[in-house]
Amino acid sequence: MSRFEPATVNLEFDKRVSDALQDQELRANFRGAMDFLVGKRAAMFPDKEDLEALRAQGEAIRNRCLSQLPELLEQFEQRCTENGIQVHWAETAQEANAIILEIMHKHDATRMVKGKSMASEEIGLNHFLADHGVECLETDMGEYIVQLADETPSHIIMPAIHKNKQQIARLFNQKIEGVEYSEDVDRLIGIGRDVLRQKFFEADVGLSGVNFAVAETGTLCLVENEGNGRMTTTIPPVHIALCGIEKVVESLQDIPPLLRLLTRSATGQAITTYFNMISSPRKPDEKDGPREVHVVLLDNGRSRIYADKQLQETLRCIRCGACMNHCPVYTRIGGHAYGTTYPGPIGQVVSPQIWGLHTAGAITKACSLNGACGEACPVKIPLADLIRRLRYESNNSEPTPVPGPRGQGSLRKRPEAITWKLWALLSRKPGLYKLVLFLATRLRALAPKHIGPWTRYRSAPRPAARSLHELAAQRSQSNASSQEHGRHE
Amino acid sequence: MSSREAILNRLRTYRQPKPSQPAQAPAAASATLSIAEKVRLFTENLHAAHAEVITATQEDWTQRLLSFWRETGVHSVIYAPNTAHGQAIESAAHAYPELQLQAYEEDIETCKDRLFNHIQCGFGAAMAGIAETGTLMVKTGADEPRALSLVPPTHSLLIHAKDLYTDLPEALHQTRIETALPTNLLLISGPSKTADIQQTLAYGAHGPKRLVVVLIVAEESDHV
Ligand code: SF4
């Protein structure tokens, strides 16, 4: 798969899934990785009660912050401005890209290093900047590997999880000048480190995501292990942080429980190597750090998600990735099969809402509604309910009172709709129901042998010779007559 | 209408009523451990994160750190000159004459090449430590430049046992840091690492490959 184009999500979804299912190496890579991550998370939460209490706390904190979102955003903006951080607002992906490019232009900047940011993937920043002559280099090891392979991340926490070390060894050998083939992981990381160090050294601008934005203090919090996030936000003279508007929390006190939930759910760590809290650009007496810090507050559909009471639960997400690790479908098809920036259960909920059901609604099909994602989610997002709701909206042609997801009813198929209408009619008319049942059982020899995709891997269902009703009636009759018989004896 | 107003208006129009129950269960008060327990837990967690810990006293920490550098082949160290710990190491440095001690005095723009390509170790101090996770809280600023703990391949960090807290909420609360947040407040828990290649842990991804914590304990009883 090459570049992500939102327009192709629905169109190519089935093909992507079937390609992924046939790729044995890919399936083995995912199976191993997901089992590993599930095990690590479980080890971090040995006590079920503690975990539940912490999840309830996480949910409550996120709900409280979302309920005050407009005020918190204003407060955050004000504090940042007082601290010397410049705040920008972007309603759309396009606008966010334009703001970032303008900052680059203002500094005659042509080299950007990027820390991990799913929001920047969401707005297609790399390709936009490349089109405008800006080199935009991913510096998270996983992201760097994926960028080198001209792919997109397949997991929101571990972007290169779909590749094994042999594949990465080949990639480095082919794509980085003077690098010999080596499967030694330390050696491979060392190569990445050397290449990227030079880039940090030269970069004009560093761009990062934001894990939490603290309204009370105007602080940007970043969670990471590698140090590339710190490099990105410390070494270049300008730092731009791209932050979804839902990331704001009220105060510093909200951070510890959320951080605890995030790191434990994501990678099974009690804490990550670095937790970086940035509250201003370099002060006059300081020797390093960027001289300018910008925050771009990104909406891109989030305020629309906010409008619907049920769908708003989506915005609690702290992007830990636990839902995908626990999803049996994701484990089998991997992240690229979804064709969207955000894969897995949270992707099935976020992507159709950002890009519209007409663009990305089809991925809600990749769910068995087993509920494992919702059970794993540290902030208790009822993912299966939301997926079911979006499936409904994909077929629903009635207008809704609040904005709701775009593309409602766009996946509605006439034959399917007619079938369900008939079913509803039958269920309401007992006489008709009986008649149809009678015909189906008597004419079972005429039942079709092939019914679309269902029969690609299974045999077609065939009506029984007699309906359950008939069998039950028969049995109760014969019981009655045998009892009658007994009494006479 | 600007994007700012458009976004805020939409949020205001569609906001849901506030949750009726108290929104947050009161955070459980953290169990406060004795200094010796904090020292033990802190050290244990740092070791688990692949960091090295030198337990020392106020009297011998400079000598112990210098010997560590000598033994591990560290001979160029950058430090902040206007700090007590910086001055202490400066005056003790004669015990290791081959050591090149460099003061972080210039802006990064001037010393970037040296920092990236020549210096082996950054030496600084932490304002607090968190026992439960083996975390060092570093308040950067004029006296504690940010790159010190990031760019050189080894990072040596000084901390006093009296500045250890049980967990993060306690550390945030007791240090009252929110009233005076620095440009960059850092929580550091071990050397830089990654598991991005086939879930195999590798150290020194971008930051220091080695983290050496010098932990100063005041009394014998605090030793582990
Ligand atoms: S939906 Fe929940 S489990 Fe999934 S990434 Fe978001 S917070 Fe994590």
Side-chain angles (χ1 to χ4, degrees):
Chain A
M1 192 177 70
S2 66
R3 292 175 180 186
F4 163 54
E5 278 292 319
T8 66
V9 176
N10 280 355
L11 302 175
E12 292 176 4
F13 180 58
D14 290 351
K15 177 166 181 332
R16 282 205 184 97
V17 169
S18 94
D19 287 352
L21 288 173
Q22 280 162 37
D23 185 338
Q24 293 307 325
E25 196 175 18
L26 183 88
R27 291 187 60 173
N29 294 351
F30 271 99
R31 177 88 262 170
M34 295 305 110
D35 289 350
F36 172 80
L37 288 169
V38 167
K40 282 198 75 180
R41 174 186 173 274
M44 269 293 147
F45 294 116
D47 187 320
K48 186 115 182 51
E49 254 172 52
D50 283 356
L51 170 62
E52 284 317 306
L54 195 57
R55 284 177 79 211
Q57 196 187 2
E59 179 190 12
I61 293 174
R62 292 297 293 132
N63 278 347
R64 166 167 48 78
C65 297
L66 285 171
S67 76
Q68 315 166 35
L69 189 55
E71 290 78 21
L72 292 184
L73 281 167
E74 282 176 307
Q75 191 190 3
F76 176 70
E77 180 188 39
Q78 195 192 335
R79 287 284 174 278
C80 282
T81 313
E82 286 164 7
N83 297 351
I85 296 177
Q86 301 175 47
V87 181
H88 313 259
W89 299 72
E91 254 193 300
T92 60
Q94 223 171 358
E95 198 179 346
N97 282 327
I99 291 168
I100 294 166
L101 183 66
E102 201 190 308
I103 300 171
M104 299 288 294
H105 278 163
K106 213 178 84 198
H107 292 274
D108 288 325
T110 54
R111 290 163 301 188
M112 174 187 276
V113 282
K114 274 178 71 194
K116 204 166 158 359
S117 155
M118 288 311 290
S120 77
E121 301 280 343
E122 174 188 322
I123 63 171
L125 180 69
N126 291 11
H127 295 136
F128 174 82
L129 290 182
D131 291 345
H132 291 81
V134 173
E135 180 196 71
C136 192
L137 195 83
E138 296 291 346
T139 63
D140 171 271
M141 283 298 171
E143 294 266 1
Y144 172 66
I145 291 165
V146 166
Q147 191 182 36
L148 211 56
D150 198 19
E151 291 175 2
T152 51
S154 61
H155 190 282
I156 63 172
I157 298 291
M158 307 197 108
I161 207 160
H162 57 292
K163 289 194 182 299
N164 56 35
K165 62 182 175 194
Q166 290 80 6
Q167 292 168 322
I168 295 167
R170 275 200 299 276
L171 182 72
F172 277 21
N173 173 242
Q174 286 161 6
K175 295 274 175 99
I176 309 174
E177 230 183 86
V179 166
E180 282 177 21
Y181 182 91
S182 165
E183 287 176 15
D184 181 73
V185 172
D186 280 326
R187 170 99 196 88
L188 290 169
I189 295 297
I191 295 165
R193 176 183 171 106
D194 290 346
V195 172
L196 293 167
R197 279 225 144 196
Q198 190 55 32
K199 298 291 181 181
F200 288 125
F201 188 87
E202 294 164 355
D204 307 310
V205 171
L207 185 128
S208 74
V210 175
N211 290 94
F212 309 109
V214 186
E216 182 194 32
T217 54
T219 303
L220 305 164
C221 302
L222 280 134
V223 181
E224 59 143 351
N225 278 314
E226 294 187 1
N228 69 309
R230 287 192 60 202
M231 283 281 191
T232 305
T233 56
T234 304
I235 305 298
V238 179
H239 167 211
I240 305 174
L242 181 61
C243 177
I245 53 169
E246 82 284 17
K247 295 279 170 97
V248 186
V249 297
E250 190 173 353
S251 73
L252 223 48
Q253 303 300 329
D254 293 328
I255 297 292
L258 293 178
L259 180 63
R260 202 182 175 93
L261 281 168
L262 173 59
T263 60
R264 286 170 199 244
S265 308
T267 47
Q269 288 176 272
I271 195 163
T272 50
T273 300
Y274 300 116
F275 185 60
N276 187 355
M277 305 165 81
I278 299 167
S279 303
S280 82
R282 184 192 311 190
K283 297 196 179 94
D285 59 344
E286 291 173 352
K287 310 217 163 34
D288 55 20
R291 293 188 190 273
E292 263 183 37
V293 178
H294 297 260
V295 182
V296 181
L297 291 170
L298 176 71
D299 182 345
N300 203 29
R302 286 162 175 80
S303 57
R304 204 182 167 95
I305 299 178
Y306 190 76
D308 185 286
K309 191 170 185 328
Q310 186 188 20
L311 297 175
Q312 192 189 94
E313 305 209 54
T314 311
L315 299 178
R316 281 209 297 274
C317 178
I318 54 173
R319 304 278 190 264
C320 72
C323 53
M324 47 199 79
N325 303 346
H326 288 77
C327 172
V329 179
Y330 177 90
T331 304
R332 284 166 180 79
I333 64 176
H336 286 157
Y338 297 80
T340 50
T341 305
Y342 303 98
I346 186 61
Q348 289 171 289
V349 174
V350 170
S351 308
Q353 297 193 74
I354 293 180
W355 291 290
L357 294 157
H358 53 297
T359 303
I363 64 171
T364 58
K365 289 193 290 187
C367 175
S368 67
L369 300 178
N370 71 80
C373 48
E375 267 170 47
C377 177
V379 286
K380 297 177 93 165
I381 301 179
L383 289 153
D385 294 346
L386 299 182
I387 292 171
R388 205 165 42 213
R389 165 76 190 280
L390 290 169
R391 280 185 187 175
Y392 167 78
E393 295 294 355
S394 306
N395 291 287
N396 172 31
S397 46
E398 308 283 317
T400 43
V402 294
R406 288 178 299 138
Q408 267 173 340
S410 58
L411 302 184
R412 189 180 176 88
K413 293 200 191 82
R414 270 183 75 86
E416 206 179 310
I418 291 172
T419 309
W420 287 114
K421 277 240 159 73
L422 280 175
W423 179 253
L425 181 77
L426 280 181
S427 308
R428 284 199 308 269
K429 309 254 180 226
L432 196 61
Y433 185 83
K434 260 194 173 154
L435 177 69
V436 171
L437 216 55
F438 180 81
L439 290 175
T441 48
R442 297 324 187 267
L443 302 176
R444 59 199 281 265
L446 301 179
K449 299 258 179 315
H450 299 284
I451 39 173
W454 178 267
T455 40
R456 207 180 304 149
Y457 304 108
R458 313 172 187 83
S459 45
R462 235 176 126 207
R466 292 291 176 269
S467 73
L468 185 65
H469 263 146
E470 285 180 87
L471 290 175
Q474 249 174 28
R475 172 171 295 190
S476 69
Q477 222 169 35
S478 73
N479 276 354
S481 72
S482 68
Q483 274 175 10
E484 194 76 351
H485 194 64
R487 221 176 287 146
H488 284 289
E489 267 179 353
Chain B
M1 186 165 35
S2 71
S3 297
R4 177 184 186 278
E5 279 163 57
I7 295 169
L8 287 173
N9 279 349
R10 253 197 314 276
L11 294 179
R12 280 199 200 95
T13 312
Y14 292 113
R15 99 167 60 232
Q16 308 300 330
K18 276 202 180 169
S20 51
Q21 311 120 336
Q24 193 184 340
S30 33
T32 303
L33 306 174
S34 71
I35 292 195
E37 281 168 322
K38 282 188 275 194
V39 164
R40 185 189 57 77
L41 198 58
F42 180 67
T43 311
E44 201 175 283
N45 282 318
L46 275 171
H47 282 150
H50 206 74
E52 293 145 275
V53 182
I54 300 174
T55 312
T57 62
Q58 189 60 46
E59 286 70 45
D60 72 358
W61 74 264
T62 48
Q63 292 314 317
R64 302 200 55 182
L65 183 58
L66 289 168
S67 333
F68 174 84
W69 284 339
R70 191 203 300 266
E71 281 154 27
T72 52
V74 168
H75 49 74
S76 60
V77 175
I78 192 162
Y79 72 107
N82 300 325
T83 55
H85 56 275
Q87 281 151 16
I89 206 77
E90 214 176 65
S91 48
H94 59 84
Y96 179 9
E98 303 82 43
L99 180 70
Q100 296 164 20
L101 260 185
Q102 311 204 10
Y104 200 143
E105 279 170 326
E106 298 154 319
D107 282 352
I108 190 167
E109 287 76 13
T110 318
C111 64
K112 204 166 168 188
D113 177 53
R114 213 167 355 124
L115 202 56
F116 268 73
N117 301 317
H118 302 289
I119 288 170
Q120 292 173 303
C121 177
F123 169 60
M127 69 175 287
I130 298 160
E132 188 197 52
T133 46
T135 300
L136 296 132
M137 203 159 152
V138 178
K139 185 175 179 177
T140 68
D143 288 341
E144 188 70 40
R146 293 159 74 166
L148 207 66
S149 58
L150 177 64
V151 179
T154 298
H155 178 208
S156 301
L157 199 56
L158 188 71
I159 182 165
H160 292 266
K162 67 173 173 44
D163 295 326
L164 291 182
Y165 299 97
T166 304
D167 55 17
L168 180 56
E170 193 194 17
L172 289 179
H173 183 71
Q174 297 292 343
T175 56
R176 313 228 180 290
I177 188 78
E178 71 261 40
T179 52
L181 273 179
T183 303
N184 188 199
L185 181 70
L186 290 167
L187 303 185
I188 301 178
S189 316
S192 145
K193 64 170 180 275
T194 181
D196 268 348
I197 300 183
Q198 215 172 314
Q199 301 93 56
T200 310
L201 206 52
Y203 292 94
H206 297 285
K209 296 178 186 188
R210 212 161 175 175
L211 174 68
V212 184
V213 178
V214 181
L215 176 62
I216 298 184
V217 291
E219 291 170 34
E220 245 346 90
S221 63
D222 294 338
H223 271 284
V224 270

